[in-house]
Structure formats: C-alpha cells, structure tokens
C-alpha cells in the first residue's frame, strides 16, 4: 500500500501512531513492510490457506463476536442435507459436473430451499462473469430460513464452517504458505484481540488478491473473518479494496463491461431473458428481502434514459434494443477471437493491453489481425505501434508490409482539459473543474463519443433496417459549448442522476425512480449526486470545517453514505456497540436512525420491526437485518449461491505451481476458466509431469514511480528518471543457484515468452521453506514496454490466460518460470528458446491441463454423474 | 549597510532570535529567494481537480497562467489527502505538459510501414463508416430459435478506468445502441 497507494497509506500510519498494529503480508518486503509492526513473507497464491487458518483460530477459540454473529450473519441458518463439503470430496463440493467443470448449486442451498437455487447450473454464469453483479448486492436466496440460535445443529452454517476449516491448522499454514506458525499466531491473535465492542480491525487488499484463478474466494475468506469478528458496517472496520485507477470504481458502477449495464443491472442473456419481465424478475427475485425488490423501477428508468420518448410501457421501454449475451464476451475471449479473425474493429480508450494485459504476445497478434484499430491516448503507446516496433516484428511474426490493420491514433484530452467526475476507491465521486483547453486535435472521450454518435445517426437517417432503430431512437441531444462544441458533462451527470420526465426535476434519490416511464435514471445507484439540481460531487467543504466523516466533500454512492451496512454499527436494539465505536444508532425519542453518517437503513424503521408474513422487498427486512442488499438481510459466512466455485473458500494451488496441493487432492480451482487455444498454454503443475522445467514462482506488482502499463509514467521525465530500467528482484540464494550477478542481465522463460531484465539481488525476497522443500520466488515490475522515455521488456508477456470463474479476471499475480543469466536471444531464435522449453515441459499448444485431480471418490452430489477419477497423481 | 542591518541579515542571528530555530525556513532565506514569488501566487486562476493516477483520489489544485498549466499542487482542504501527493501525483504537471504528448491525429494505412497525417474530422468520418460496415457484416438479429440477439460481435472496445463517469456513460450508451456488446475495461483486468 505504501508503494502503490502512498497517500492513502498516511491513514495507516495515523492509525499506527494511535496504537494500531500493522501487519503486512506480501511475497516481497516493500516500503509497507518497512513500517509495519510485523511482516509476513508468503508464497504467492496461498492467501486462502493463511486466512483459513485465521478462521479456524477464531472458531476453535470461540473468539467470534457472538452477539453480532448471531444477529447479523447467517451463522445460525441451516443448510440442506444434500450439501457435501470439500472435506468429503478431497477438494470438491457436492454438485460438481465434470462435463462443464462447474457446479450445480442445488445442494448448497439453505434447508428447505433447495429449489430456490438462483443459479442452477453455473457454467453459464461463469461465461457471463455473473459474480460481478453482486458488487452491490447479494445473490438470490429466500428470505425466510430455518435457524438454530444455539449454533449446535450439525448443519448450521457455524458448524459447517468449523468442519470446513478444521484442517487449516497453524502447522498447515506453515506448510502451505511458508509462514512460521509463531508469526501466524501473532497475526491471528492480534486480529481477534483488535475486534469486538470496543475495537475494530480493517482489511485492505488490492489486485494481489483479485488477479488469481480463485481471487473472489480470497476476498470471501477475508469477509468471513470480518463478519466473525464483527468488523463490517462499523467505523474502522470493513474490507477495503484499493483500486488502481482514478475512476476504475466508476467504470465498474457505470460499466464499460460486457456483462453489465449501469448500476449492476445485468446485460440480458438471450436464453434467460427473452422478455423485459424475465429480465427484471431475474434481478428482483420476487419474494426476496431487500432493496433489489424495486429493480423494475431501476431497469425501466435506465431504458427511459437510453431511449427517451421512444421508450414506453407498451413497448417494454425498448427492451428489444438491448444486445444479448450468449456466452463469454470478455476481453480475453475477444483477443482470441481477434487472432481467429472474427473481430473487425477495436477501440482502445486510455488503455494499453500490449503491456498491461496478460499474455502480451496474444494481445499484439490479435491487434495485428484486425480490419481497423482506434487508439485514443495521451501518448504514442505500444498498443498503437505493435505493427512497427513490437517484439513480434523482431521475431518476424508480424511483418509490417503484411499487417493489414488500419490504425487511427486520436490524441486525448488530459484530466485538466475536461470536466467530469472520477469515482475513487471508496465510492466517492469528485468533480474536476476544467483548467485549460486540450491542445491541437486532442479531445475528451465525451466529445469523441458524442460527435461519433451524432455522425452515425446522421448517416443512418431514414434507414429502415431493424438494427438501426436503437441508434435512431437513442436520446442523444446533449447541449454543447465552447469553440470545440464540447458536450456538457453536467448535463450527462444530471441524466445519470435521473429526473422526472415531465418536469425535468432531478431526482433526490433512487427511491423516487418509477417503473411507469415517468422517470429516467442513467445509473440508479448514483441517484442523488445531482439532487436539487446541485452538482453534489463538486462539493469541497474543507476538512477543517467539518467532522471526520467529511460528508460534504464530494458525494458517495449510495445516498452519500460513507460506510455501507452501517446499521451494523449499532446492536440489535439499535444502541451503539460501545461509546468508542459509536457511528449510527436508533434515536427512540425522534423515532429515527441517526448518527455521523447517512444511516444505511430505512430512516424510521425501528429495531423492533418484524415483517408481516409474506412480505418481500424492503418491507421484508426486519429492524435488525443490517445487510439490506442481501436476499436474507444477513452477512454471509456461507454463500448458498452467487459464488460459482463454492459456498466456502478452499485453498487451491495457482494454475501454475511447483507444488502439489498439501490440503486436498484437488490441485487447482476446478471451475477456473481455461481457454484451449493454440496461442495459450499453461505451464505444467503437479500432478502433471515436468513441472520442474519451470521451477521458480514469479509475481509482479507496481513501483511507486510508475503507473500500470507505463503510458502515463514512462513518458513523464521525472518519473522515468526515478525508475529508468526493467529489473528482476531475486534473493541471494536464488542468485547463487541460478548463477545471477547483481546488476548483470538475466532472462526469464515461461511457456509463452522470454523477457530480459537487469538483476537486483536483494534480501527483500527470501526463499521459503514449504512442505519440506525450498521455493524461490522472484519479483518483477510490470510497467515496461518498448515506447516512452524508458523502455524494457514487459513482465505480463510471461503470463498465460487462466481466469477466475466468478468475474473472469486473469491470474496474473503468480506463475512459474525459469531464469538464466545473460541477455535473451533476439530475432527468430527467441521463439526457438520458448519452443524448446515447451517441448521439454510437454506443453501441447491448445491443450487443457487436467481439471479434476482428486484422489478419492467424490460424493455423488445430486447432480454429479457419480464417482470417477480423472488425472493421475504422480506427486 | 549598517552593522545592525548586517547582523540582522546574518542567518545564524536570525535563526537564534527569530521564529525559525531549526534554520530551515525564513532564517535561511536569502535576499534573492525572499524576492521570489511562487507560480501559485501569480496564477490567473486555479481549478479544483483530482489526481489522474491511482484510485486514492487525492485532491489537486491546478494553477493556470496565460491559459497554460504552470503548477499542480495537492489540495490541503481534501479530507482524503490533506494536501499530499505521491511522486506520480506530484508529476501531474509534467504529465499534462509533456513534450511527448501527441496532439495531432496519426493514421496508419493497411500494410504501410509508417504513419501519415489525417484531419480529425476526416478521421471521425472514416471511423463512423467503418463502424457501420462492421455492424452490417457481423450483425446478428436472432438466435437459432428466433429469440432476439440484436448485436454485433465484430466490434470490441477496451478502456474506461481513467475516464470520467460521464464519458463512460456515453460510451456504454452509444455502443449498446450500436449493438456492440464487447465493451470492456481495466476493471476486468
Ligand atoms: S497522488 Fe499518488 S496516491 Fe494520490 S491519487 Fe495520485 S497516484 Fe494515488
């Protein structure tokens, strides 16, 4: 955090000054480790084993915050008797279908609700990255459940949790992660001690957790700990994702993502959502508790914002104008389709996949096989010059005279040359004022897309084609101003906020959204950002003039709420858990919730409220159900649906690992997304043979002085001077073993690529003793490429493409490689070297690695196809 | 110069008698540096902005003179950053004023070995034509069972995490109306 989010880290230091204990878990000793109380080096890709150890420690010693856990989580809920745990399946849960490498979730449901399984067969959800829809709300589950308040029932969530994590002992943590048990116990003890009525603990993570084939479950494990310790919805608690780009939270909320529409409404699926009603019901889940019950209003209002006058209740608000998903349309599938010649044109908007995405060679070969490419950026980036300067030009794989891609480079306006909002990492929108006009041909994306749309509509005017209706019906008249005819960003923000169609009055909140076409709302969760016709995101009341919650600085979604689920900061009766951790509470005199923050609860619903029989939506939430976006109002220790790779987190080895999984026969995530394409490959891992061909584990991360793929830092001289060269960090022990010298050259080889780097021999990396053997890890920055003031080979070239099944994010925080002294070959011999390694490793291009590697007979879940074995165990 | 003035101008004296006992502020100031004014003081205007790099969202003040950015400082009012900027945020002025920035449209013809110039308006028109052609060639109206698809898989887009919400809103709206589904950004990565 000190390296990649330095200014955010000041608050960790502030907490430390006030007595907080800081733990840093990282494969490499960084600036964060330097000021932490305790640093724990970890084997990359084993965090679930570490966190699972903490869960076990809490449960074994009964250190959970029992009152919170009983009232606010699903600990007491009873699970179906059809459920079988990984304990019985050697790493597989019940319901695994080996034909699709995915689960049928029926057996995971709450008892008596087996038929409620929202997901059924989850292969389709994986292709649609359905996990992302749950960014703002839980998955489908019935509101009324069987509970055992004594937590003794063998099938209550609490007992299932105990059994599931029983094998994550301190000894096992040491064996899997390489963390000595005393250090582990120090962490577990401190975490538990720092939680309860008087204290709260925070968990901070970043892409070191998400970029894994089992990344969502890393975060789930963190969530289980924080729920057990009562650290959710309370000040100083929470699970904080530190996001890496100025508005990446915004680009998830108002998604430029294939499977989502604004506000986490799903993009419709051709088979599941043929009609508007099918689509809406799949979101609002009739009968379920919580605020998604109003989804029809959010959906209708979005379509009304899109298609204006053309969208009416009679035509289902032009629902048929929406494109339909049929499967996986994610960025990696797209790249493979580009290589296969299926994609004509590609837009890159301030993004540089030639350096920043996994498997850089696949990215560049894909771009070299398009009809046309539009690059909009501040600088001439690698993704615009691959046809001229890319590594594949040197190897002869891309010949400029034979490369057909037509490239348009359009200069973009910088952040000071346009106005608009960024949403930062804590859901806070901050409006930026424009300082100057953009230079030359540089334009904002607002300008480019508005005028592109205008032109497309002009060209199509009078078209009778059905396919052109959606463009011609589009509400696309934004006021423009200035010499460049810049569209008004405030007008767009007002549409995002939503307004009353007849009066034009901006809505005050999403509670005012209607399903009858009388409101238009571009992104319902942002509703309120333009309340009273005032740009709330532009508020800048100084921190010196307001309290520590700083509610008048910018605007946070939803409803300017700074801490989500903050009803949980009060006890079930609505009183603060302690004076010290007071945040939001029930005021019996006034008959309303009050506090420092905007209460995340219906303002006048008393703690004693109990829903009438048969209630649904918000009315079904009891006065002590704080998790208002969840289908049962509870924090989920156990996820009966919504998470595709299991109701509980399980340690699996990364897709590429030198080790056999010490915990289960199942080696890697059995539901991970694998692409069997000739350009893609996975280095062998046990129980496959030849894993020793790639004996070392590598991981990548950021330098303080560079930014992602380098387009905004390798081009900026002060930053380029500070970090001028690509390098690899290795331990003295690995340097001795591999014959590497400090400041000399080395090259690294994976099944995809060879890259070279200067060697930095340093104690910041340490060999780990893991399961009786020594594992060497090495570290690379991933910022370098061949354009800019400072250049170097790209670390992401080393990675193959394997994705997390929930969100289709790639595993690019851990892989295996070999490292040799000296510079890499150039020209065609470079590919020969890769081919030689692939031959030795037995890699057949396009072949899938074995998925199921269990050693015992699996329980036949209701939908499994009976016991069977797959994948021999050579370990 | 009298003796008194000479002594009063002596840094050690000022350090011992003045308000700067550590000698790191006014006591160490020379006549020349005392006469300098900061660019921030002479700016024509100041825009309240936000750092464009990571998602911490540090507040920035952008100082402008003669329609040029002359300085970018941390915003001391911000409850997030309290006026601080990290090396990247501090380099923002160098970013926006970098001589390496491209300010004209560049065009590479198929099979060409070099860039050419192209007028922005022409480029926009050519892109619009290519979009319409790609849609026409790859349009899918319905699936094999006659259910609506209303889409093209011939067009892709990647990016958005460094763009404004308002921009992403228009991008998603326009592409969706085009039937272009394959819209992605860094949040997937
Ligand atoms: S100044 Fe540094 S920490 Fe702050 S937003 Fe910019 S990059 Fe992030």
């Amino acid at each position: 955090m000190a390296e990649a989010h330095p200014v955010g880290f000041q608050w960790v230091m502030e907490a430390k000054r006030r007595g907080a204990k800081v733990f840093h878990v990282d494969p490499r000793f960084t600036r964060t480790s330097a000021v932490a109380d305790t640093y724990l080096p970890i084997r990359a890709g084993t965090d679930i084993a570490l966190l699972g150890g903490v869960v076990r420690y809490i449960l074994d010693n009964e250190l959970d915050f029992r009152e919170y856990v009983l009232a606010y989580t699903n600990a007491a809920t009873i699970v179906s008797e059809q459920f079988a745990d990984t304990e019985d399946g050697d790493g597989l849960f019940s319901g695994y279908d080996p034909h699709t490498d995915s689960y049928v979730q029926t057996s995971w449901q709450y008892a008596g609700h087996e038929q409620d399984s929202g997901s059924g067969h989850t292969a389709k959800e994986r292709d649609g990255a359905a996990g992302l829809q749950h960014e703002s709300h839980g998955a489908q589950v019935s509101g009324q459940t069987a509970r055992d308040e004594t937590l003794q029932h063998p099938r209550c969530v609490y007992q299932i949790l105990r059994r599931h994590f029983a094998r994550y002992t301190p000894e096992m943590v040491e064996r899997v992660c390489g963390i000595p048990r005393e250090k582990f116990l120090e962490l577990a003890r401190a975490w538990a001690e720092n939680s309860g009525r008087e204290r709260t603990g925070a968990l901070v993570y970043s892409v070191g957790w998400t970029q894994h084939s089992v990344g969502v479950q890393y975060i789930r494990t963190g969530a289980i700990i924080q729920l057990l310790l009562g650290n959710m919805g309370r000040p100083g608690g929470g699970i904080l994702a530190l996001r890496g780009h100025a508005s990446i939270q915004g680009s998830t909320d108002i998604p430029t993502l294939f499977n989502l529409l604004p506000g986490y409404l799903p993009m419709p699926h051709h088979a599941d959502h043929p009609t508007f009603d099918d689509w809406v019901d799949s979101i609002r889940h009739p009968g379920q508790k919580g605020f998604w019950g109003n989804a029809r209003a959010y959906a209708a209002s979005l379509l009304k914002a899109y298609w204006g006058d053309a969208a009416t209740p009679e035509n289902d608000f032009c629902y048929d104008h929406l494109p339909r998903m049929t499967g996986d349309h994610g960025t990696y599938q797209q790249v493979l389709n580009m290589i296969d010649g299926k994609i004509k044109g590609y837009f890159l908007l301030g993004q540089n996949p030639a350096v920043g995405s996994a498997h850089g060679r696949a990215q560049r070969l894909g771009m070299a096989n398009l009809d046309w490419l539009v690059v909009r950026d501040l600088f001439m980036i690698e993704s615009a010059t691959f046809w001229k300067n890319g590594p594949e030009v040197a190897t002869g794989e891309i010949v400029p005279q034979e490369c057909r891609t037509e490239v348009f480079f359009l200069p973009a306006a910088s952040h000071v040359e346009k106005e608009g909002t960024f949403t930062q990492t804590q859901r806070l929108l901050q409006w930026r004022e424009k300082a100057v006009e953009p230079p030359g041909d540089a334009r904002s994306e607002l300008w480019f897309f508005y005028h592109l749309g205008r032109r497309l509509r002009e060209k199509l005017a009078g078209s009778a084609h059905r396919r052109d209706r959606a463009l011609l019906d589009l509400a696309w008249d934004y006021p423009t101003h200035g010499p460049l005819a810049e569209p008004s960003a405030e007008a767009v923000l007002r549409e995002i906020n939503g307004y009353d169609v007849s009066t034009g009055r901006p809505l005050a909140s999403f509670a005012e959204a209607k399903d009858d076409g009388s409101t238009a709302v571009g992104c319902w969760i942002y509703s309120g950002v333009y309340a009273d016709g005032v740009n709330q995101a532009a508020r800048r009341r100084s921190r010196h003039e307001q309290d520590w919650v700083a509610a008048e600085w910018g605007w946070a979604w939803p409803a300017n709420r700074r801490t989500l689920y903050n009803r949980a900061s009060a006890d079930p009766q609505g009183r603060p858990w302690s004076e010290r951790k007071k945040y939001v509470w029930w005021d019996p005199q006034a008959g309303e919730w009050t506090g420092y923050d905007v209460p995340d609860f219906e303002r006048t619903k008393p703690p004693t409220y109990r829903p009438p029989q048969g209630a649904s939506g918000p009315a079904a939430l009891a006065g002590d159900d704080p998790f208002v976006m969840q289908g049962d109002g509870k924090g989920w220790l156990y996820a009966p649906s919504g998470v595709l790779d299991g109701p509980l987190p399980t340690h699996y080895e990364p897709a590429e690992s030198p080790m056999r999984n010490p915990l289960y026969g199942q080696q890697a995530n059995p539901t991970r997304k694998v692409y069997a394409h000739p350009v893609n490959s996975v280095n062998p891992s046990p129980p496959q043979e030849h894993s020793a061909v790639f004996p070392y584990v590598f991981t990548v991360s950021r330098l303080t002085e560079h930014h992602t793929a380098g387009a905004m830092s390798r081009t900026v001289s002060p930053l380029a001077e500070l970090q001028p060269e690509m390098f690899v960090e290795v331990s003295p022990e690995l340097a001795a073993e591999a014959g590497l010298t400090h400041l000399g050259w080395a090259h690294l080889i994976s099944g995809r690529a060879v890259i070279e780097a200067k060697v930095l021999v340093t104690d910041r990396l340490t060999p780990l003793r893991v399961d009786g053997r020594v594992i060497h890890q090495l570290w690379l920055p991933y910022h370098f490429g061949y354009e800019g003031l400072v250049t170097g080979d790209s670390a992401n070239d080393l990675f193959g493409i394997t994705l997390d099944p929930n969100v289709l994010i790639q595993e690019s925080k851990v892989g295996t490689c070999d490292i040799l002294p000296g510079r890499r070959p150039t020209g065609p011999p470079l590919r020969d070297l890769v081919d030689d390694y692939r031959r030795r490793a037995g890699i057949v291009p396009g072949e899938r690695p074995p998925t199921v590697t269990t050693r015992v007979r699996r329980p036949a879940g209701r939908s499994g196809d009976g016991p069977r074995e797959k994948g021999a165990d050579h370990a | 110069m009298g003796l008194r003035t000479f002594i009063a101008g002596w840094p050690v004296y000022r350090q011992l008698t003045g308000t700067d006992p550590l000698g790191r502020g006014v006591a160490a100031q020379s006549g020349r540096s005392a006469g300098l004014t900061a660019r921030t003081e002479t700016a024509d205007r100041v825009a309240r902005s936000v750092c464009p790099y990571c998602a911490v969202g540090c507040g920035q003040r952008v100082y402008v003179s003669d329609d040029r950015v002359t300085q970018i400082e941390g915003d001391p009012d911000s409850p997030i950053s309290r006026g601080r900027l990290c090396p990247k945020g501090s380099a923002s002025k160098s970013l926006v004023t970098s001589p390496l920035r491209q300010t004209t449209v560049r065009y590479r013809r198929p099979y060409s070995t070099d860039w050419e110039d192209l007028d922005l308006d022409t480029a926009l028109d050519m892109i619009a034509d290519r979009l319409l052609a790609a849609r026409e060639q790859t349009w899918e109206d319905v699936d094999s069972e006659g259910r609506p698809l209303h889409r093209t898989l011939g067009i892709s887009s990647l990016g958005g995490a460094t763009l404004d919400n308002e921009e992403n809103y228009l991008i998603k709206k326009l592409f969706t109306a085009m039937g272009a589904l394959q819209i992605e950004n860094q949040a997937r990565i």
Side-chain angles (χ1 to χ4, degrees):
Chain A
M1 186 176 178
E3 302 265 356
H5 299 89
V7 181
F9 193 67
Q10 68 174 303
W11 299 106
V12 177
M13 297 312 291
E14 191 83 15
K16 194 181 175 200
R17 265 192 290 279
R18 297 184 189 188
K21 210 160 174 202
V22 181
F23 286 82
H24 186 230
V25 183
D26 200 296
R28 166 175 168 257
F29 187 95
T30 70
R31 287 164 165 131
T32 311
S33 330
V35 292
D37 292 289
T38 301
Y39 163 64
L40 295 88
I42 187 171
R43 180 165 69 93
T46 65
D47 302 53
I48 291 177
L50 170 67
L51 297 168
V54 177
V55 174
R56 181 187 174 277
Y57 175 85
I58 294 167
L59 295 175
D60 246 34
N61 298 294
E62 299 210 30
L63 298 171
D64 54 286
F65 186 177
R66 186 59 56 88
E67 212 177 330
Y68 180 105
V69 166
L70 259 182
Y72 296 162
T73 76
N74 64 357
T77 311
I78 307 207
V79 170
S80 169
E81 58 188 3
Q82 296 170 14
F83 173 67
D85 190 33
T86 46
E87 288 298 294
D88 310 312
D90 200 19
L92 293 180
F93 292 99
S94 51
Y96 187 73
D97 171 13
H99 303 300
T100 56
D101 302 332
S102 66
Y103 285 104
V104 178
Q105 299 180 336
T106 313
S107 62
W108 303 356
Q109 302 304 304
Y110 293 152
H113 294 276
E114 287 80 358
Q115 298 319 317
D116 293 0
S117 163
S119 306
H121 211 298
T122 58
K124 202 155 58 186
E125 273 78 2
R126 175 174 55 200
D127 277 358
L132 258 180
Q133 292 161 28
H134 308 309
E135 177 126 352
S136 67
H137 65 295
Q140 177 169 3
V141 69
S142 172
Q144 311 301 328
T145 56
R147 291 169 60 86
D148 171 22
E149 306 294 333
T150 68
L151 302 183
Q152 295 308 311
H153 191 290
R155 282 187 290 107
C156 79
V157 163
Y158 191 82
Q159 295 298 334
I160 288 176
L161 216 58
R162 282 186 69 112
R163 290 195 296 275
H164 179 80
F165 287 106
R167 61 170 73 191
Y168 292 70
T169 58
E171 294 69 33
M172 186 57 93
V173 171
E174 177 164 338
R175 213 178 128 198
V176 178
C177 310
I179 296 174
R181 66 197 80 173
E182 312 76 58
K183 283 226 168 176
F184 159 75
L185 284 169
E186 187 190 336
L187 167 73
R189 209 173 293 127
W191 202 340
E193 281 170 4
N194 196 54
S195 307
R197 282 179 182 272
E198 297 290 335
R199 303 189 70 85
T200 49
L203 184 59
V204 179
Y205 74 92
S206 195
V207 293
W209 269 14
T210 60
Q211 293 178 337
H212 288 280
S213 56
V214 59
V216 166
Q217 296 281 14
Y218 279 39
I219 299 149
R220 282 273 309 133
T221 329
I224 290 171
I225 296 173
Q226 291 296 66
L227 283 171
L228 285 174
L229 295 177
N231 282 330
M232 297 306 292
R234 300 180 60 206
I239 299 178
L240 306 159
L242 284 172
R243 307 204 64 177
H245 303 250
S247 196
I248 193 163
Q249 184 60 49
S251 67
T252 322
D253 305 333
I254 297 181
T256 32
L257 294 169
F258 82 88
N259 57 328
L260 293 177
L261 287 161
Y264 300 95
L265 298 172
M267 189 62 95
H269 187 275
H270 75 128
D272 297 345
H273 314 124
T275 69
F276 180 68
D277 287 334
D278 295 329
W279 181 54
V280 165
D281 283 347
S282 79
I283 311 166
R284 73 187 185 97
H285 305 315
Q288 185 169 306
K289 294 188 190 184
F291 278 86
W292 277 96
N294 298 335
R296 194 178 181 91
Y298 316 145
S301 298
L302 170 68
L303 299 185
K304 191 72 191 162
Y306 271 18
W307 284 293
D309 293 341
T312 63
E314 292 70 41
N315 67 9
D316 284 340
F317 306 103
C318 295
Y319 175 67
D320 279 347
H321 285 359
L322 287 175
R324 304 299 206 264
M325 303 193 292
T326 47
D328 168 11
H329 310 291
T331 181
Y332 288 100
Q333 181 65 62
Q334 289 171 35
V335 166
L336 302 177
N337 287 350
M338 287 176 201
I339 293 174
D340 295 341
K342 294 181 188 158
I343 293 182
K344 308 271 174 204
Y346 193 14
F347 287 84
L348 292 176
L349 313 172
Q351 183 133 1
N352 190 11
V355 176
S357 291
H359 204 335
R361 176 167 163 268
Q363 304 289 335
R364 297 183 292 266
L365 292 177
M367 288 188 281
N369 198 31
L370 295 164
D371 286 356
W372 48 270
L373 170 70
V374 177
V375 180
R376 293 189 41 82
D377 214 292
L378 302 171
F379 299 95
M380 194 53 89
I381 55 172
E382 287 80 0
S383 300
T385 66
F386 63 90
W387 50 273
K388 196 177 189 218
N389 302 335
E392 289 70 31
V393 176
T395 56
E397 293 169 282
I398 296 175
V399 178
Q401 292 86 345
E402 295 168 12
C403 172
R404 69 193 173 95
T405 309
E406 183 183 29
V407 186
F408 297 87
F409 181 94
L410 274 66
S414 77
H415 77 295
V416 300
E417 294 152 6
K418 59 186 182 188
E419 55 186 10
T421 51
F422 284 153
T423 304
Q424 57 79 274
T425 197
Q426 279 180 288
R427 300 172 282 104
L428 188 77
L429 283 80
Q430 298 183 94
W431 178 265
R432 298 184 330 276
E433 295 167 356
K434 177 169 164 174
V436 290
E437 290 292 334
D441 292 341
R443 295 289 183 277
S444 67
E445 303 312 298
L446 208 62
W447 184 95
F448 177 77
F449 279 90
Y450 171 67
H451 290 288
L452 179 66
R454 223 175 31 82
R455 200 158 305 210
L456 289 170
R457 284 154 53 87
E458 274 166 27
K459 285 179 189 277
L460 293 175
S463 163
H465 285 296
R466 170 67 187 86
R467 67 165 182 266
D468 297 331
R469 278 263 52 89
L471 270 171
L472 293 172
D473 286 345
L474 200 63
W476 201 252
D477 46 356
Y478 298 99
T480 61
H481 56 86
L484 303 177
E486 177 75 11
S488 161
E490 281 225 24
V492 179
L493 186 63
R494 182 177 158 276
E495 178 174 323
I496 289 170
N497 174 85
Y499 54 91
D500 182 303
V501 174
S502 55
T503 65
R505 179 186 64 85
L507 302 190
S509 83
F510 58 76
E512 293 182 9
K514 299 279 184 323
D515 64 2
D516 59 1
S518 63
T519 57
V521 184
C523 180
W524 69 277
I525 57 175
Y526 280 17
S527 203
V529 67
Y530 212 76
D532 307 321
V534 174
N535 184 343
Q536 308 285 344
R539 296 181 304 167
R540 288 289 191 280
R541 177 181 284 238
S542 171
R543 67 191 165 97
H544 302 296
E545 294 163 17
Q546 52 178 332
D547 70 13
W548 58 280
V549 175
E552 291 176 67
W553 183 273
W555 184 88
W557 73 264
N560 200 31
R561 195 168 282 137
R562 306 298 163 121
T563 296
L564 286 180
Y565 300 130
N566 58 34
R567 161 70 181 86
S569 69
D571 69 11
Q573 290 74 39
R575 303 163 305 203
W577 287 108
S578 66
E579 193 54 33
R580 192 163 177 269
K581 287 289 172 182
K582 200 170 165 180
Y583 195 61
V584 160
W585 59 91
W586 174 254
D587 178 345
Q589 269 78 50
E592 62 175 24
W593 291 93
T594 183
Y596 304 127
D597 198 351
V598 179
D600 196 357
F601 213 63
E602 287 167 280
R603 194 169 274 279
T604 56
K605 180 186 272 186
T608 50
Y609 171 84
R610 292 295 173 269
Q613 198 66 29
S616 70
L621 290 166
D624 56 0
D625 276 341
F627 292 91
V628 295
M629 299 310 271
Q630 296 286 101
D632 55 359
K634 305 289 182 210
W636 281 5
L637 296 165
Y638 171 98
S641 62
V643 191
L644 307 185
D645 43 2
L648 291 169
T650 303
H651 168 73
Y652 299 116
E653 287 291 313
E656 293 184 354
S657 168
M659 296 208 19
R660 189 73 173 101
N661 188 348
L663 275 148
Y664 311 96
Q666 181 56 37
Q667 171 75 6
N669 186 344
T671 65
R672 67 194 186 274
K673 177 87 186 183
V674 179
Y675 293 106
H677 186 280
V679 82
N680 195 27
S681 66
V682 183
N683 295 346
S685 306
Q688 287 174 286
E689 289 180 300
H690 310 305
S691 64
V693 173
F694 301 104
Y696 304 119
V697 174
F698 75 99
T699 184
V700 304
S701 64
R702 286 188 183 183
L703 296 164
T704 306
E705 299 79 6
H706 280 303
H707 190 57
T708 66
M712 287 165 69
S713 61
R714 283 184 288 109
T715 47
V716 176
S717 49
L719 296 173
E721 274 176 41
L722 287 168
Q723 288 290 1
E725 226 171 357
M726 175 63 183
F727 60 99
V728 55
E729 291 194 9
V730 298
S731 67
E733 294 83 353
L734 174 57
E737 179 175 307
L740 309 172
T741 44
H742 186 57
L743 301 182
W745 285 94
H747 54 292
L748 298 93
I749 307 110
S750 76
R752 278 74 53 179
V754 189
I755 64 162
E756 65 183 12
K758 284 284 191 68
V759 176
L760 180 64
V761 179
T762 169
D763 290 333
R764 294 195 290 233
L765 283 158
T766 181
L768 296 176
R769 179 151 286 281
V770 180
D771 206 14
R773 58 188 277 202
V774 172
I775 296 283
H776 291 288
Q777 307 199 91
L778 42 88
W779 176 90
L780 302 149
Y782 70 90
H783 307 290
F784 285 88
Y786 44 89
E787 301 289 350
L789 293 168
V790 291
T791 58
D793 284 354
S794 302
N796 280 330
D797 283 12
L798 291 174
F799 288 108
I801 303 171
T802 301
L803 314 181
D804 175 282
N806 292 290
V807 288
L808 301 180
I809 289 177
Q810 78 290 334
E811 183 153 84
S812 58
K813 277 290 170 270
V814 56
T816 59
C817 69
D818 195 12
I819 185 165
L820 298 174
R823 305 198 68 158
R824 61 167 164 76
T826 53
L830 188 146
R831 292 310 305 170
D832 295 342
L833 181 62
V834 178
D835 288 343
D836 181 50
Y837 268 81
R838 292 160 71 109
R839 235 182 339 265
R840 284 167 44 211
I843 295 174
V844 180
E847 194 172 85
R848 299 169 67 95
T851 308
V852 176
T853 58
T854 49
R855 281 173 285 217
V856 298
R857 296 182 151 244
R858 292 182 296 108
R862 250 170 71 98
S863 47
D865 66 346
R868 83 194 189 118
E869 291 212 349
K870 196 165 139 188
D873 183 4
H874 302 285
Chain B
M1 188 195 292
L3 184 63
R4 181 178 282 270
T5 333
F6 172 76
I7 291 175
W10 191 33
V12 173
Y13 175 84
R14 285 189 292 172
Q15 185 179 343
L16 293 173
T17 58
T19 54
D20 181 23
L22 295 176
R24 292 192 295 201
V26 284
Q29 208 167 43
S30 71
R32 187 176 125 69
S33 59
L36 292 175
T37 17
R39 272 171 292 182
T40 51
E41 278 174 33
T42 55
D44 300 336
R45 58 178 187 272
V46 187
R48 307 291 291 261
S49 194
V50 179
C51 175
Y53 287 98
C54 89
V56 170
C58 296
Q60 294 190 331
R61 290 185 181 179
V62 182
Y63 294 86
V64 179
S65 294
D66 297 330
D67 289 328
R68 294 163 62 96
V69 174
T70 51
Q71 182 65 338
I72 296 181
E73 296 270 334
D75 186 342
D77 285 342
S78 166
I80 297 168
S81 54
R82 301 191 289 191
R84 293 152 163 93
L85 294 173
C86 81
K88 289 191 287 284
S90 311
S92 301
K93 186 207 143 202
S94 301
L95 169 79
V96 300
T97 60
S98 167
L100 257 57
R101 268 188 75 179
Q102 289 290 326
T103 55
T104 58
V105 175
R106 307 294 281 154
Y107 174 65
R108 186 254 178 182
R109 246 170 242 285
Y111 312 110
S112 169
T113 56
D114 221 336
W115 293 108
E116 313 170 22
D117 290 329
L118 190 66
D119 179 66
L120 175 60
D121 195 60
T122 313
L124 196 62
D125 210 56
M126 288 168 77
I127 292 165
D129 286 341
R130 278 150 187 72
L131 273 169
L132 294 179
R135 281 174 86 239
E136 199 172 328
Q137 289 160 13
T138 58
W139 189 258
E140 298 172 88
D141 239 349
V142 290
D143 67 10
S144 55
E145 292 178 33
R147 293 172 296 204
L149 287 176
H150 199 268
R151 71 174 190 196
T152 166
L153 296 183
I155 299 165
S156 289
S157 177
L158 183 65
T162 53
L163 307 181
D164 299 348
N165 292 316
E166 295 74 14
E167 297 180 318
N168 279 316
Y169 181 77
L170 285 199
I171 292 168
K172 183 72 172 183
K173 185 174 178 179
L174 185 65
F175 275 130
T176 302
M178 269 188 242
L181 193 58
Q182 297 170 142
I183 310 308
E184 290 274 80
N185 80 58
Q186 179 69 32
R188 180 82 59 211
I189 292 165

